[in-house]
């Protein structure tokens, strides 16, 4: 083990050296291009082989001195030269092959034999060691052959060196031993269940191999290991269940304890990874396995949270792949989605509904669905799908909504995202927007969609308004905003609530606001205008030294940038006080302008995050190959606010429902009241019985209701 | 008194307020004078003062002894002095019962009418009589119906004027006081639960329902109906008890 540590330390020094000498090396070679002697293939290969053999010796623990910096440089430069020589002496392909062969040779001659001769736990240990060594070898050889990664593989669209190296291990070692390994692991786990001590660290390392071998796709882990693991677990538990019931002292407590230990440990193993077993089960619609997993994990505290986030990721991933792929692929995935929605035809309908709502912690599924719709309906989303395909998907979505109990939550998320699409002109197709609203209306009633329809109409009105404004301007040449101004006037009730902050507008924009206000006064005196600057966009010209670039930014960003017209350098504090915004907003703004893709401002110090002690300077040297770029400002996470708003609305809804019921019945028992309340509200959401109880008590305090004197389970309406 | 019509009841009360006579005497005299107040007064004052009627002048004196210097009410200091005179701890629950007799609106305050009226209905017009009556007053708590009335009374009495709910600390104090008399084994757990989980004021509904809970549900919770219309705070209390294995579900044994 200590050997590896040594190697790694020197590796990092070497990298530093390389980085510095890389630039130098380029200059050298450029100068020496003409003077260079051609290396022929044999020579080159032999030379590299020496280096490779040296590396293998070190890994095997043989007495071999470490690589010196000259040796590294020579190996690296040899490759470089052989790749940059003029044809027919450019040997990139041969070197690429040589790279792969080195691994194959080493594995077949040394690694595999050593694994074959060991068994059980010893075999596992050997495997871990060999895998570790292999990774080091890949790292090193990739450094030597690095130049291939830079040009050759991209030109030929080949797998990068890293992948090739790992694939060798997978194809040669893993495929051969994975069966034995899996059995050994499962028997270890069984041992532990029986109460023996096992080496947990070893187990973790072995499982990690399964995951890493997948190289980002979890097939190996899932198919080879996990499914049998889950089967084995299930079998084990059913065996054990009968035993546990017989135990004398508090069986529940014991069960919980044991399950906790085992399941918690494996929960993290099985579920914490990005594409977990749960994901596999979801993908393959293995509902029986899914429900088994659900039952198992629901027994441990927070066992379901990882599952719900997996489900969330899965659906979002599925949703995004759905719209981003080409037609055929899309119809394949859609078939899956259809299957998921089509579960209603099977007896598993109920299981699906419960899973959909409970297992995904309620709000997530409503939010997911809204996000899914947003992806389909916005620009850059599903343009590759045919109209028919989109219609079909929307149809499925609305059907799926029937299974979501928190429809009001869905409505709110949908509304928020619709607002963004409409206001930022991100909507792909008006027809589709209208079509889904019609479908929602049919399914959930007019009240559900009234606000959303209002939003769509509002925009049409706003356009009209704007043309009137332009007329007004042309008729009154003395009032000019000085800039091209488009204003969208929205009706408050329809749109989600937006906080309006008192942004200090730059002088140019103040004039615009004034001019529009005057115009609006001529149209109507009875309305109040509240400006929402957080939703505006600006096109401004950045006069950079190389060339002028047009920047498409939000009003907030524009206000920030315009500050730099008056001074070249500003501190965070100065910016904040001049703009009159909160810390959160300022941080987001400055980040988008100085730490993201386009660095319009130079930040000092040059770290990745904004701190209140930073200073900013206009980056006069900025340029881009495009003449016009859009600088996005990531939106604030609305989720919390949406949930808050919906909760508040629900409280009112429950109150109204209780009062309505009691007013007509005058006297009603508690159970009855709750039942009727749930029924009345069921169209929009499933009210929590506890929440209803609280509202009843609140109404008692407010003297709307009282308990019957003789029977406290009965309520009377107080006129 | 309950058998009288409203008009007659009023007259009796008026008579008592003016003469300081006991209810019994008032009834006697009014009946004798055919329910004419003037006549009744004549009869009364011509008679020698009988048994346990109270002397309004003595009561006046008593009142003045405890009355606050600046307002026409007995305030905290006065009550303190009263308790001293009675050789009773101000925290003693008997003072609650006394307040109940007085129909006192707020704790630590007695208006003249409340004080005088209350003592009259108890037949008290001197400190000795007061001291003598204390055991009787205390014994009222043993009567289930009276206890309930006193318990309900306590809510309005203990809360701040103008507030709808009772502050938690006060409520806890009252509960501990009341349930020391009428034993409820879960009272300590209840108070602890509130301090840990609730930390807000207590509504009237919760207050009154708690008594039902204490009386009706056995300490092992075996007859607790989770689907019932118990205030949610009580539901949470039950959850708290089972979660912390203070009560074992289905076993009915308190640890």
């Amino acid at each position: 083990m200590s050997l590896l540590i040594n190697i790694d330390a020197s590796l990092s020094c070497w990298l530093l050296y390389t980085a510095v000498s890389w630039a130098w090396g380029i200059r050298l070679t450029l100068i020496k291009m003409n003077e260079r002697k051609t290396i022929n293939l044999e020579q080159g290969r032999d030379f590299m082989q020496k280096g490779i053999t040296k590396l293998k010796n070190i890994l095997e623990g043989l007495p071999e001195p470490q690589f010196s910096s000259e040796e590294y440089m020579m190996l690296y430069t040899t490759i470089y030269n052989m790749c940059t020589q003029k044809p027919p002496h450019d040997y990139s392909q041969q070197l690429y092959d040589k790279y792969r062969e080195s691994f194959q040779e080493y594995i077949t001659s040394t690694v595999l034999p050593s694994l074959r001769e060991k068994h059980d736990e010893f075999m596992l240990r050997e495997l871990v060691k060999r895998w570790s060594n292999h990774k080091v070898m890949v790292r090193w050889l990739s450094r030597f052959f690095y130049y291939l990664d830079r040009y050759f593989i991209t030109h030929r669209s080949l797998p990068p060196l890293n992948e090739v190296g790992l694939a060798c291990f997978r194809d040669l070692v893993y495929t051969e031993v994975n069966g034995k390994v899996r059995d050994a692991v499962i028997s270890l786990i069984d041992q532990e269940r029986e109460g023996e001590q096992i080496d947990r660290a070893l187990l973790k390392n072995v499982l990690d191999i399964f995951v890493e071998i997948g190289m980002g796709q979890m097939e190996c882990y899932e198919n080879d290991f996990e499914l049998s693991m889950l089967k084995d677990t299930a079998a084990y538990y059913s065996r054990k269940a009968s035993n546990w019931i017989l135990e004398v002292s508090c069986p529940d407590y014991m069960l919980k304890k044991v399950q906790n230990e085992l399941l918690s440990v494996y929960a993290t193993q099985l579920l914490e990874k990005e594409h977990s077993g749960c994901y596999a089960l979801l993908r393959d619609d293995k509902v029986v396995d899914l429900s088994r997993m659900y039952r198992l994990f629901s027994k441990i505290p927070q066992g379901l949270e990882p599952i719900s986030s997996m489900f969330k990721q899965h659906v979002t991933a599925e949703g995004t792949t759905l719209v981003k792929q080409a037609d055929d692929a899309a119809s394949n995935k859609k078939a899956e989605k259809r299957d998921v929605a089509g579960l209603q035809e099977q007896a598993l309908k109920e299981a699906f509904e419960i899973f959909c709502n409970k297992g995904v912690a309620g709000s997530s599924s409503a939010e997911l669905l809204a996000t899914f719709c947003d992806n389909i309906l916005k620009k850059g989303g599903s343009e590759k799908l045919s109209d028919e395909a989109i219609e079909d998907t929307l149809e499925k979505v609305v059907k799926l909504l029937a299974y979501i109990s928190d429809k009001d939550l869905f409505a709110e998320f949908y509304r928020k995202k619709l607002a963004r699409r409409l206001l930022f002109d991100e909507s792909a197709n008006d027809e589709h927007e209208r079509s889904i609203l019609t479908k929602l209306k049919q399914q959930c009633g007019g009240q559900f969609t009234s606000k959303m329809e209002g939003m769509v109409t509002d925009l049409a009105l706003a356009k009209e308004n704007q043309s009137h404004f332009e007329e007004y301007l042309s008729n009154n040449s003395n009032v000019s905003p000085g800039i091209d101004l488009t204003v969208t006037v929205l009706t408050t009730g329809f749109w989600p609530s937006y906080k309006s902050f008192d942004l200090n507008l730059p002088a140019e924009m103040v004039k615009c606001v004034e001019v529009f206000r005057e115009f609006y006064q001529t149209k109507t005196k009875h309305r109040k205008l509240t400006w929402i600057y957080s939703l505006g966009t600006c096109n401004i010209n950045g006069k950079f030294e190389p060339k002028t670039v047009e920047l498409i930014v939000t009003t907030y960003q524009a206000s920030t940038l315009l500050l730099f017209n008056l001074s070249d350098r500003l501190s965070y504090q100065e910016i904040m006080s001049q703009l009159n915004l909160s810390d959160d907003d300022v941080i987001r703004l400055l980040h988008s302008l100085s730490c993201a893709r386009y660095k319009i401002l130079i930040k000092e110090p040059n770290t990745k995050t904004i701190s209140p002690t930073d200073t900013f300077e206009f980056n006069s040297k900025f340029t881009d190959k495009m003449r016009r770029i859009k600088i996005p400002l990531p939106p604030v996470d609305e989720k919390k606010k949406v949930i808050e708003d919906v909760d508040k609305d629900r409280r009112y809804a429950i109150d109204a429902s209780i009062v309505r019921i009691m007013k007509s019945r005058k006297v009603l028992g508690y159970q009855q009241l709750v039942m009727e309340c749930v029924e009345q509200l069921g169209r929009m959401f499933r009210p929590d019985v506890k929440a209803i109880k609280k509202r009843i008590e609140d109404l008692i305090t407010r003297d709307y209701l009282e308990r019957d004197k003789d029977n406290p389970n009965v309520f009377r309406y107080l006129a | 008194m309950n058998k009288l019509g409203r008009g007659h009841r009023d007259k009796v009360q008026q008579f008592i307020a003016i003469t300081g006579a006991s209810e019994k005497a008032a009834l006697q005299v009014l009946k004798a004078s055919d329910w004419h107040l003037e006549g009744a007064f004549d009869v009364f004052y011509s008679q020698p003062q009988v048994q346990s009627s109270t002397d309004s002048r003595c009561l006046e004196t008593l009142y003045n002894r405890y009355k606050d210097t600046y307002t026409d009410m007995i305030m905290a200091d006065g009550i303190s002095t009263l308790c001293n005179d009675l050789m009773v701890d101000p925290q003693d629950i008997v003072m609650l019962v006394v307040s109940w007799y007085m129909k006192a609106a707020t704790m630590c305050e007695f208006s003249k009418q409340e004080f005088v009226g209350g003592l009259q209905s108890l037949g008290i017009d001197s400190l000795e009589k007061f001291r003598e009556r204390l055991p009787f007053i205390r014994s009222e708590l043993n009567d289930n119906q009276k206890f309930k009335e006193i318990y309900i009374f306590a809510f309005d009495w203990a809360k701040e004027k103008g507030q709808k709910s009772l502050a938690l600390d006060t409520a806890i104090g009252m509960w501990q006081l009341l349930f020391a008399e009428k034993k409820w084994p879960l009272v300590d757990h209840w108070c602890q639960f509130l301090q840990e989980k609730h930390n807000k004021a207590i509504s009237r509904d919760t207050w009154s329902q708690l008594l039902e809970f204490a009386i009706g549900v056995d300490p092992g919770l075996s007859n607790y109906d989770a689907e019932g219309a118990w205030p949610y705070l009580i539901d949470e209390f039950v959850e708290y008890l089972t979660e912390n294995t203070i009560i074992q579900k289905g076993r009915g044994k308190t640890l």
Side-chain angles (χ1 to χ4, degrees):
Chain A
M1 282 296 131
S2 59
L3 186 64
L4 288 173
I5 295 173
N6 281 339
I7 293 183
D8 272 2
S10 39
L11 183 62
S12 50
C13 297
W14 180 76
L15 286 175
L16 188 58
Y17 179 86
T18 320
V20 165
S21 58
W22 166 244
W24 176 241
I26 286 280
R27 288 193 67 198
L28 270 180
T29 39
L30 280 175
I31 294 168
K32 288 194 175 169
M33 210 43 142
N34 300 328
E35 313 161 14
R36 206 171 68 188
K37 231 173 40 194
T38 322
I39 307 173
N40 78 36
L41 188 54
E42 280 310 306
Q43 277 180 296
R45 276 217 275 243
D46 284 342
F47 186 76
M48 291 313 297
Q49 188 54 48
K50 286 210 190 72
I52 293 168
T53 312
K54 185 180 168 89
L55 176 59
K56 288 183 193 171
N57 291 340
I58 297 177
L59 287 175
E60 288 291 314
L62 297 175
E64 176 80 53
Q66 298 282 3
F67 282 93
S68 70
S69 5
E70 283 86 48
E71 284 170 309
Y72 302 155
M73 270 314 289
M74 280 313 296
L75 288 162
Y76 179 88
T77 320
T78 308
I79 298 286
Y80 173 77
N81 289 339
M82 289 173 78
C83 292
T84 50
Q85 288 171 160
K86 292 204 174 61
H89 299 295
D90 59 338
Y91 295 121
S92 306
Q93 180 65 50
Q94 292 89 333
L95 289 173
Y96 189 72
D97 294 332
K98 170 93 188 139
Y99 174 86
R100 185 191 296 111
E101 281 156 21
S102 322
F103 288 109
Q104 288 170 332
E105 195 269 328
Y106 179 63
I107 291 173
T108 18
S109 67
T110 320
V111 177
L112 276 175
S114 82
L115 280 172
R116 285 186 192 125
E117 68 187 13
K118 300 195 172 54
H119 302 283
D120 302 321
E121 205 173 315
F122 301 103
M123 190 255 295
L124 292 181
R125 279 188 213 287
E126 183 70 20
L127 178 66
V128 171
K129 178 176 143 217
R130 287 292 169 190
W131 171 245
S132 213
N133 278 1
H134 184 78
K135 285 191 281 188
V136 172
M137 190 170 164
V138 169
R139 252 205 308 265
W140 279 51
L141 284 193
S142 308
R143 289 292 163 221
F144 296 157
F145 286 76
Y146 175 63
Y147 194 73
L148 289 172
D149 260 345
R150 283 201 56 121
Y151 296 106
F152 179 69
I153 64 134
T154 24
H155 279 164
R156 306 285 189 92
S157 300
L158 291 167
L161 293 180
N162 197 35
E163 238 184 79
V164 170
L166 297 180
C168 285
F169 193 88
R170 184 188 61 208
D171 297 336
L172 293 171
V173 177
Y174 181 81
T175 39
E176 186 178 307
V177 303
N178 91 81
K180 280 174 69 184
V181 170
R182 183 188 59 216
D183 293 339
V185 168
I186 290 183
S187 90
L188 265 189
I189 294 175
D190 275 341
Q191 277 176 39
E192 198 197 40
R193 284 172 180 155
E194 299 300 323
E196 293 173 37
Q197 292 277 54
I198 62 161
D199 185 350
R200 282 236 182 126
L202 174 62
L203 206 52
K204 179 174 192 316
N205 289 334
V206 173
L207 289 177
D208 281 345
I209 299 179
F210 274 89
V211 174
E212 282 172 286
I213 287 275
M215 291 188 299
Q217 289 116 33
M218 290 283 283
E219 297 142 15
C220 296
Y221 179 67
E222 297 152 352
N223 296 337
D224 300 335
F225 176 73
E226 203 177 55
L227 291 182
S228 30
M229 163 69 187
L230 286 176
K231 281 205 190 85
D232 183 84
T233 311
Y236 182 79
Y237 272 102
S238 37
R239 263 182 286 127
K240 276 296 175 186
S242 39
N243 294 345
W244 283 334
I245 288 169
L246 293 175
E247 270 164 20
V248 178
S249 51
C250 210
D252 277 6
Y253 185 71
M254 269 290 279
L255 193 71
K256 195 173 185 180
K257 182 160 179 259
V258 174
Q259 278 186 348
N260 256 331
E261 274 180 14
L262 275 182
L263 281 177
S264 307
V265 166
Y266 296 122
T268 42
Q269 302 245 353
L270 298 175
L271 291 180
E272 216 158 45
K273 315 280 185 181
E274 201 197 318
H275 299 267
S276 75
C278 180
Y279 178 74
L281 296 179
L282 279 170
R283 200 191 54 211
D284 301 337
D285 274 345
K286 293 202 169 64
V287 185
V288 176
D289 287 320
L290 262 183
S291 37
R292 187 187 299 145
M293 175 181 259
Y294 174 76
R295 275 198 302 280
L296 282 174
F297 283 104
S298 59
K299 293 209 168 73
I300 57 173
Q302 286 140 15
L304 286 179
E305 272 160 20
I307 295 195
S308 49
S309 51
M310 286 304 120
F311 186 78
K312 179 174 176 169
Q313 281 178 30
H314 166 74
V315 178
T316 319
E318 287 297 324
T320 0
T321 28
L322 170 72
V323 301
K324 282 194 174 131
Q325 280 176 350
D327 276 50
D328 334 349
S331 44
N332 281 341
K333 294 287 178 187
K334 216 160 32 92
E336 224 180 277
K337 192 83 189 159
R338 200 180 299 136
D339 286 348
V340 167
L343 276 172
Q344 63 186 308
E345 275 115 51
Q346 301 170 31
L348 294 164
K349 165 185 169 187
E350 266 158 46
F352 181 71
E353 188 171 330
I354 294 172
F355 191 82
C356 213
N357 288 302
K358 238 200 259 177
V360 197
S363 64
S364 301
S365 55
E367 192 192 344
L368 281 181
L369 208 54
T371 314
F372 183 68
C373 292
D374 190 49
N375 282 336
I376 297 186
L377 293 164
K378 71 178 179 203
K379 278 185 188 161
S382 58
E383 268 145 6
K384 299 199 182 99
L385 294 180
S386 69
D387 274 349
E388 209 183 270
I390 296 183
E391 278 296 304
D392 211 30
T393 315
L394 293 179
E395 191 77 49
K396 297 270 169 277
V397 166
V398 176
K399 277 220 186 88
L400 208 56
L401 188 57
Y403 291 94
I404 308 279
S405 53
D406 294 332
K407 295 181 187 41
D408 58 347
L409 198 57
F410 167 81
E412 196 55 27
F413 276 117
Y414 186 85
R415 207 159 68 105
K416 269 222 134 68
K417 293 183 197 288
L418 175 65
R420 265 199 91 79
R421 287 201 301 277
L422 293 175
L423 294 176
F424 293 103
D425 194 24
E426 281 171 7
S427 174
N429 184 321
D430 252 2
E431 285 297 312
H432 292 307
E433 296 276 3
R434 261 186 254 282
S435 142
I436 189 175
L437 285 182
T438 321
K439 294 196 211 300
L440 286 172
K441 193 169 175 179
Q442 277 174 353
Q443 171 106 336
C444 308
Q447 215 207 359
F448 194 82
T449 49
S450 61
K451 285 188 189 165
M452 303 176 203
E453 288 176 328
M455 282 158 72
V456 177
T457 351
D458 246 7
L459 270 201
L461 281 177
K463 287 202 174 76
E464 237 184 78
N465 219 330
Q466 175 67 17
S467 54
H468 290 165
F469 179 55
E470 279 160 18
E471 241 182 79
Y472 167 87
L473 286 180
S474 57
N475 290 341
N476 299 313
S477 51
N478 51 330
V479 260
S480 164
I483 325 176
D484 277 336
L485 175 66
T486 311
V487 179
T488 315
V489 183
L490 311 173
T491 314
T492 323
F494 297 144
W495 296 78
S497 54
Y498 296 106
K499 287 190 266 200
S500 94
F501 295 102
D502 241 338
L503 170 68
N504 266 346
L505 284 179
E508 300 92 329
M509 299 191 200
V510 173
K511 186 142 201 291
C512 292
V513 170
E514 269 314 305
V515 169
F516 188 82
R517 197 175 279 144
E518 274 175 33
F519 155 74
Y520 200 71
Q521 294 282 59
T522 67
K523 292 200 80 189
T524 160
K525 296 218 189 321
H526 304 293
R527 308 255 173 90
K528 177 175 173 227
L529 278 182
T530 309
W531 293 83
I532 315 280
Y533 301 118
S534 54
L535 298 174
T537 44
C538 279
N539 288 26
I540 60 180
N541 283 329
K543 294 201 161 70
F544 304 102
E545 269 173 45
K547 70 170 195 252
T548 302
V549 180
E550 193 182 329
L551 307 170
I552 306 179
V553 290
T554 64
T555 312
Y556 278 17
Q557 287 166 310
S559 308
T560 316
L561 290 175
L562 286 169
L563 291 177
F564 289 88
N565 271 350
L566 302 168
S567 46
D568 275 332
R569 273 193 106 146
L570 289 169
S571 73
Y572 174 96
Q573 295 297 342
E574 284 171 327
I575 295 176
M576 188 162 114
S577 65
Q578 294 222 29
L579 290 179
N580 194 28
L581 289 174
S582 70
D583 274 302
D584 283 336
D585 283 323
V586 173
I587 291 178
R588 270 189 325 128
L589 275 179
L590 290 173
H591 190 276
S592 70
L593 296 169
S594 63
C595 302
R597 184 172 167 199
Y598 300 112
K599 296 186 173 29
I600 312 290
L601 299 176
I602 304 178
K603 183 172 90 85
E604 223 168 278
N606 191 6
T607 53
K608 288 251 163 224
T609 51
I610 307 284
S611 90
T613 49
D614 290 341
T615 45
F616 299 86
E617 198 180 319
F618 175 65
N619 183 7
S620 49
K621 305 240 183 301
F622 174 82
T623 190
D624 190 86
K625 58 181 191 249
M626 306 293 275
R627 285 175 151 258
R628 175 198 273 198
I629 55 180
K630 182 167 176 190
I631 305 185
L633 178 63
V636 197
D637 183 14
E638 326 163 300
K639 182 162 150 177
K640 229 173 74 175
K641 181 157 194 298
V642 170
I643 295 181
E644 262 173 41
D645 286 342
V646 169
D647 274 339
K648 225 194 299 168
D649 287 339
R650 283 183 182 179
R651 260 178 271 147
Y652 295 138
I654 298 178
D655 275 356
S657 167
I658 296 175
V659 171
R660 219 178 308 139
I661 296 171
M662 289 306 296
K663 196 166 182 185
S664 79
R665 311 289 229 100
K666 299 288 187 242
V667 179
L668 197 55
Y670 168 70
Q671 292 286 15
Q672 197 75 359
L673 177 57
V674 168
M675 235 168 54
E676 295 202 13
C677 197
V678 169
E679 215 189 291
Q680 259 195 25
L681 296 167
R683 289 200 89 198
M684 284 306 278
F685 65 100
R686 191 189 297 159
D688 183 28
V689 176
K690 273 196 183 160
I692 299 183
K693 210 175 222 193
K694 284 194 190 167
R695 296 324 299 159
I696 293 179
E697 279 175 54
D698 196 61
L699 289 168
I700 294 178
T701 313
R702 282 147 64 194
D703 295 322
Y704 277 87
L705 307 175
E706 65 173 4
R707 287 183 199 261
D708 181 78
K709 302 262 185 313
D710 300 312
N711 183 355
N713 274 342
V714 169
F715 297 103
R716 294 181 167 277
Y717 181 69
L718 294 173
Chain B
M1 229 346 210
N2 291 336
K3 298 192 193 121
L4 293 178
R6 200 190 180 123
H8 289 178
R9 237 185 297 153
D10 278 350
K11 287 193 176 150
V12 172
Q13 276 177 339
Q14 252 184 309
F15 190 87
I16 292 175
I18 295 172
T19 61
S22 73
E23 199 183 301
K24 197 171 165 192
L27 274 170
Q28 229 178 3
V29 174
L30 276 167
K31 276 193 193 146
S33 58
D34 213 9
W35 294 100
H36 289 297
L37 268 175
E38 319 294 348
F41 289 144
D42 284 336
V43 175
F44 182 80
Y45 281 114
S46 54
Q47 274 178 1
Q49 296 280 314
V50 205
Q51 324 103 283
S52 55
S53 63
T54 52
D55 187 337
S56 48
R57 274 164 293 152
C58 292
L59 280 172
E60 186 85 27
T61 329
L62 215 52
Y63 174 71
N64 286 330
R65 181 179 162 73
Y66 305 114
K67 167 177 112 71
D68 184 77
T69 347
Y70 300 109
T71 29
D72 190 14
M73 297 199 69
I74 301 180
M75 307 293 276
D77 285 337
I79 295 181
S80 226
T81 321
L82 174 62
C83 292
N84 266 337
D85 289 344
L86 294 173
M87 289 182 293
V88 145
D89 188 333
Q91 315 269 33
D92 193 323
I93 198 171
V94 74
M95 290 314 289
L96 168 60
V97 190
V98 167
S99 307
W100 173 64
Y101 271 105
M102 293 185 184
K103 303 191 192 348
T106 318
M107 62 168 24
C108 302
E109 278 179 21
F110 295 133
S111 72
K112 184 167 184 181
Q113 193 180 15
E114 288 166 359
F115 185 75
V116 170
L119 293 186
Q120 272 175 347
S121 58
L122 283 163
I124 298 171
D125 59 7
S126 70
L127 279 173
E128 298 94 58
K129 280 200 197 154
F130 207 151
R131 269 181 240 128
E132 272 169 43
R133 297 287 266 163
L134 283 176
F136 164 73
I137 295 172
R138 200 177 267 122
S139 72
E140 294 278 54
L141 288 165
N142 295 335
D143 176 86
N144 280 339
Q145 182 56 31
K146 296 241 171 69
F147 180 84
K148 191 167 177 180
E149 285 176 33
I150 294 169
Y151 177 89
I152 302 281
F153 163 79
F155 182 83
D156 285 298
W157 178 76
K159 73 172 167 63
E160 298 279 326
K161 274 189 267 223
Q163 294 286 331
K164 275 205 155 177
S165 319
L166 179 60
L168 186 60
D169 292 333
T170 321
I172 290 184
M174 292 304 302
W175 273 317
Q176 283 173 333
L177 198 62
L178 285 159
F179 286 117
E181 292 298 312
K182 187 171 195 76
K183 306 290 180 204
W184 182 42
L186 292 176
V187 63
D188 289 325
H189 290 301
W190 169 248
C191 295
Q192 198 179 5
F193 157 72
L194 286 172
Q195 279 167 326
E196 272 177 41
K197 303 278 182 168
H198 183 57
N199 248 326
K200 281 186 278 193
I202 303 289
S203 71
R204 181 177 285 131
D205 187 54
T206 309
W207 176 269
S208 58
Q209 289 302 301
L210 182 73
L211 184 62
E212 299 298 325
F213 182 79
I215 296 176
V217 177
D218 81 78
L221 299 181
S222 57
N223 59 342
Y224 170 76
D225 177 14
E227 312 290 316
W230 294 108
Y232 89 93
L233 205 51
I234 291 183
D235 286 337
E236 308 229 311
F237 177 55
V238 171
E239 253 177 63
Y240 169 86
L241 290 173
T242 39
E243 264 172 29
N244 298 345
T245 57
I246 298 171
I247 306 278
Q248 305 205 356
K249 261 211 167 128
R251 289 263 190 98
K253 207 170 72 160
T254 319
L255 296 177

